Amino acid sequence: MKDKHRGGRGKNLGPRINDQIRISECRLIGDDGTAYGVVSLDKAREIASEQGLDLVEVSPTAKPPVVKVIDYGKFKYDQQKKANEAKKKQAQVSLKEIQFRPNIEAHDLETKLKRAEKFLGQGDKIKMVMQFRGREMAYKDLGLSKFKDILATVEEMGSQVESEPKMMGNRIITIVAPTKKALQKASTPKSTEEVTES
């Protein structure tokens, strides 16, 4: 018999409900959180029927499986809402990359640090890379020292280092993430306009 809520579709589309549940006994939980304990499936169906609600198998791998008396339509809506919220949060965080050179000019460094501050304010993580070319490889220690100074400046902007700087080939790489402080600072409206001097 096809279930009115699921149209008899495959069980990979969600939890088993009502007539799809085929177990002899289950641990039953009421819609209001009432624990009925371990009851037979017939008893569980009787309780759900009295309340005009559905039986939903919420934990099929438990022994015995856990079944909840609930309005399946509302349950499905809540699950979809949670999934959408989780998806929205995931989409907001992206990984940006900023590259530096050991002999970077002060003006270029300032520009890159401003970009880093902007990314952190947007809630993005930053992959920071110190790139060595040719003879610069002979001065890796100086490059690493400069990279650590840059990281210290970025941390003051409201970031935290997620992974310690690592040498990978001819590059030093680390990832920094924004702190709550950086996000709050970015969301606070500025009282005066920024004036840039040439």
Side-chain angles (χ1 to χ4, degrees):
M1 180 178 154
K2 289 186 178 182
D3 188 277
K4 61 178 179 176
H5 293 294
R6 298 277 306 280
R9 289 182 287 172
K11 56 186 171 185
N12 62 335
L13 296 174
R16 286 189 286 244
I17 64 168
N18 298 331
D19 293 339
Q20 293 173 344
I21 302 170
R22 306 224 185 281
I23 48 177
S24 56
E25 59 180 23
C26 62
R27 187 171 300 281
L28 188 66
I29 299 169
D31 190 31
D32 56 357
T34 306
Y36 290 95
V38 178
V39 298
S40 68
L41 187 60
D42 289 339
K43 179 70 176 167
R45 283 191 176 130
E46 191 182 307
I47 292 167
S49 179
E50 282 171 8
Q51 296 178 23
L53 297 170
D54 300 297
L55 280 182
V56 180
E57 192 176 34
V58 291
S59 185
T61 54
K63 295 197 184 302
V66 179
V67 173
K68 199 165 183 181
V69 177
I70 197 168
D71 178 343
Y72 183 66
K74 183 175 178 287
F75 173 78
K76 206 170 166 187
Y77 172 78
D78 289 342
Q79 294 292 96
Q80 187 62 49
K81 198 174 172 185
K82 282 179 192 171
N84 289 345
E85 281 173 15
K87 197 175 177 184
K88 210 183 285 181
K89 284 178 187 172
Q90 283 177 342
Q92 286 174 353
V93 179
S94 60
L95 183 66
K96 306 288 186 181
E97 184 172 317
I98 300 178
Q99 290 196 1
F100 301 90
R101 296 287 302 284
N103 57 352
I104 189 167
E105 297 291 328
H107 177 72
D108 290 340
L109 179 58
E110 194 180 319
T111 303
K112 287 179 186 275
L113 288 173
K114 278 184 182 173
R115 198 178 314 152
E117 190 171 23
K118 180 186 167 193
F119 291 153
L120 291 168
Q122 291 170 346
D124 297 324
K125 291 184 179 185
I126 308 170
K127 180 181 180 182
M128 298 183 66
V129 180
M130 175 69 82
Q131 179 89 39
F132 296 92
R133 290 190 189 146
R135 291 182 189 171
E136 291 170 353
M137 287 294 285
Y139 305 99
K140 282 191 279 188
D141 292 343
L142 286 171
L144 181 59
S145 176
K146 187 161 197 168
F147 193 57
K148 285 186 175 175
D149 290 343
I150 292 168
L151 276 179
T153 306
V154 173
E155 281 186 271
E156 284 170 19
M157 293 173 182
S159 74
Q160 57 194 14
V161 177
E162 277 200 345
S163 61
E164 286 303 309
K166 286 180 189 170
M167 192 77 197
M168 298 177 78
N170 64 339
R171 308 189 312 165
I172 302 172
I173 299 171
T174 190
I175 293 175
V176 296
T179 57
K180 287 181 182 175
K181 176 185 159 190
L183 296 171
Q184 285 169 352
K185 186 179 171 187
S187 63
T188 307
K190 294 179 182 176
S191 53
T192 56
E193 285 184 23
E194 283 183 6
V195 178
T196 52
E197 294 177 10
S198 55

